[in-house]
Structures are given as C-alpha cells and as structure tokens.
Amino acid sequence: MYAALKPARRSGGKTKYAAAASAALLAILALLAASPSKYAEACLAGLKTWLNFVVPSLFPFFVFTAILTRLGFASKAAAKLSPFMRRAFRLPGAAAYAFLMSALSGYPVGSRVLCDLCECGAIDKKDATLAGALCSTSGPMFVIGSVGAAMFKSAAFGAALLFSHLAAVILVSLAAARFKKRADDTAVIPPAAANTDGMLHESVYGGIVSILNVGGFIALFYVLSEMLQTIRLLAPLAWLFGKLFSLFGAEGAGVAFCAGLLEVTQGCAALAGAVGSAALPLAAFLITFGGACILAQQLAYLKKTSAKTGGFLLLKLAQGVAAFFICLGLCALAGI
C-alpha cells in the first residue's frame, strides 16, 4: 500500500538535471528576494515593451489571420502552393499553410499551427524539424512597424530587415531540404469552418490568449536578463561581441546584442541606439534567430511534434547568420 508513495526512480542524468535546475531556480528566487524592486522594474519594463511594440504589431494579425483561417482563404492559398512545397522544400503541402500563417502573423504562430498539423497527421513527424525552422518567422507588422519605424525611425530600414529575414529563412531551408527525401503529401489542409457563428468572438479571444502568452514570456526574460547583468554572467560574452562588432563599425553593440540573445525586442531597441553600419544587420540576425524568449515559445509547441531541438537550433543559427550578411549587403548597396 505504500508503493504508490515511493518516488519514481530516475536515471542519473535526469537526477543531475533536476538538481541543477532546482539549484538555478533557488538562486533566482534568492535574487528576487534580495532586490525585489529592481526586478519588479525589469518586469514592468518588459511589459511596457510588450504593450508599446508587440501588442500593436501582433494582436491585429492574430485576430485577422484566425478569421482568414476559419474562412478557408489560407487553406486554399496553401493548396495552390503544395506542388511547389514538395518540389522545393521536400515538405508536405500542408507546410505551406503553416508558413503562410507564420509569415503573416509572426512567431510563435507558425510553430503553433505546425503543432496542430502534426497532431492531425497533416505533417509527418520526420519533417517537423525542417518545417519548424521554415515556419519560424517574424511578421511584417513587428519588423517594419515596431523595429523599423518605431525603433530605427525608418520604415525603409524595416523593409530591409523583413527582406533579409525572409530571404535567409527561405534560402537556408531550401539548402537544408537538399539533404532529405521528398515528403509524401498524404494529408489534407484544414478546411474552412462549417459554422461561422461567433467567428469574430473566437478569433478575438484566441488573439488575446496568444498575445498575453507572448507578454508573459517577454516580461520573464526581461527579469532574467536583469539578473544576468547583475551577476555579470554575460559580461565576458558582451566584451567579446563588442570587440568583434567594432570591426564592422558598430560601437557599443555587444551589450545590446547579448540582451537580444535573451529577448529580441529588448535587443533591437538597444541596437537602434548603437553607432555603426552593423547595427541593422545585427538586428536582422536577432529577428531571424529569435533569441531565448522566442525560441522557448516555439520549442514549447515543437516539442509535441518530435522535432529535434538541436537540429532546429542549428537551422535557426544558420538562418540568423545568413540574415546578417544579406542585410549587411543591402546596407552597403544603399550606403547606410
């Protein structure tokens, strides 16, 4: 009768991981208790960034793309792209649906849609890693509106960022597809909803839930970023990046870049104040790679698809590097 009360046995690796995670969490709680006002301000700063930059750019897209999905427009457009997806990316045609939603709405919508497609059998799990990297993009409202116009004070800069971002995602995914077999397209793309009653309410409600989830992640990673700065854990990395980026004329970009590796919005806002021609290409890298905050949101969905975390992160890193050099070339051509 006492057997149920005994803790489940764990392997040595899992036990060590749990112990390390517990120690890290206890250290975080200790820092929170030691300086509650400092981290409350960091959390508030994250929420302000979310409210000022993310909500205006993402929330309308969350709602309107959900309506388009229910009306069947996106599924019809994706059906038209199915032959191209199989030939170019060696992925099922249903992946076009997830890519379209990602390109319109931004992360983590593509990962969420991809998860749904895998669960209903529209995309095979063996294709989830490449499909996850392809369907991991930011949206035009955030890149052009928030980063370009609001942060860098130029919608043209935002357009250059968006082009570099999407071009890098597509080109690296095309290259990676050459190393896999062509997928069998045996799935159906989700059809239009049979009943459109309450469509607006459901779309708005889903948009609110999604945008609140994004805000929670941003606030959390702002706090974590402040903690890492407090204990100066990222100082050596910021110094190293600062020296590297100075070769491109981007003075003071090391700290901003490290902040962006944790949370993209914070890093792009900081890079907008950096001096040098590499500030915009570095923002392109961050937007494309995603940073820990965005990656955590995406992996929460992709874990359900059996996508390989290491392979996904490697593809995102390659996409980020490609976006940097594409944007750097655009800046050189434009004389920025």
Side-chain angles (χ1 to χ4, degrees), residues 7 12 16 23 38 50 57 81 107 125 144-145 195 201 205 223 260 271 284 332:
K16 291 179 180 179
K38 175 195 291 187
W50 167 73
S57 63
L81 294 171
Y107 31 56
K125 291 183 177 181
I144 297 178
N195 186 359
H201 174 268
Y205 178 79
V223 173
L271 282 171

Side-chain angles (χ1 to χ4, degrees), residues 178-253:
R178 306 282 73 81
F179 296 94
K180 70 183 296 294
K181 295 181 180 179
R182 184 172 297 182
D184 295 326
D185 201 3
T186 58
V188 292
I189 299 172
N195 186 359
T196 58
D197 293 341
M199 179 186 299
L200 180 61
H201 174 268
E202 292 176 3
S203 298
V204 171
Y205 178 79
I208 291 173
V209 172
S210 296
I211 203 68
L212 286 175
N213 182 60
V214 172
F217 270 95
I218 290 175
L220 175 64
F221 275 86
Y222 259 68
V223 173
L224 292 176
S225 177
E226 182 66 28
M227 287 180 175
L228 291 176
Q229 291 181 33
T230 298
I231 62 177
R232 299 188 62 79
L233 188 62
L234 294 180
L237 192 61
W239 177 86
L240 180 62
F241 280 135
K243 292 294 184 181
L244 177 63
F245 299 151
S246 64
L247 299 177
F248 296 92
E251 301 297 334

Side-chain angles (χ1 to χ4, degrees), residues 255-280:
V255 174
F257 185 76
C258 284
L261 290 177
L262 291 173
E263 204 290 304
V264 171
T265 311
Q266 183 183 22
C268 288
L271 282 171
V275 178
S277 59
L280 201 66

Side-chain angles (χ1 to χ4, degrees), residues 118-142:
C118 284
E119 287 182 346
C120 73
I123 293 180
D124 195 283
K125 291 183 177 181
K126 69 177 183 295
D127 298 317
T129 303
L130 177 58
L134 174 65
C135 303
S136 170
T137 67
S138 187
M141 282 289 285
F142 175 73

